[in-house]
Amino acid sequence: MTFITRTVSAFAFVGTVLAASSAFASPADIAQQAYRGQLDGIPGYQRLEQGYNSRNISIDDIITAAGKEPTTELRASVRSNLRVIADVK
């Protein structure tokens, strides 16, 4: 029984850490997650580039998918980071 309790506690701790880390995601982290397709509803790699360049995916879509509120500063930072790692205009 102790083993089960410890296992459940470990999973709860890991879940808390992951949730907390996404709450403090930097613009570079958001751009990387988007590019890798790790954000719900945002395709990764070439499909992200195509969708963004054709304006089917916006910076606001990416930021919202990351669980953040789009602000002027965050938009500019994520856009800048996305330009560095992907072929977006």
Side-chain angles (χ1 to χ4, degrees), residues 27-86:
D29 293 335
I30 294 171
Q32 282 287 339
Q33 290 173 342
Y35 187 68
R36 293 179 180 155
Q38 296 173 333
L39 299 176
D40 287 338
I42 305 296
Y45 304 103
Q46 187 176 11
R47 289 181 53 213
L48 171 64
E49 292 172 9
Q50 291 170 344
Y52 183 80
N53 290 332
S54 67
R55 298 186 179 167
N56 291 325
I57 299 171
S58 70
I59 288 294
D60 284 357
D61 294 336
I62 293 169
I63 294 170
T64 303
K68 299 287 192 172
E69 184 70 30
T71 63
T72 303
E73 281 184 33
L74 189 55
R75 285 182 190 107
S77 296
V78 171
R79 183 179 294 114
S80 174
N81 280 284
L82 199 54
R83 285 180 178 152
V84 169
I85 61 173

Side-chain angles (χ1 to χ4, degrees), residues 10-29:
F11 281 124
F13 175 75
V14 169
T16 302
V17 169
L18 291 176
S21 68
S22 68
F24 298 109
S26 72
D29 293 335

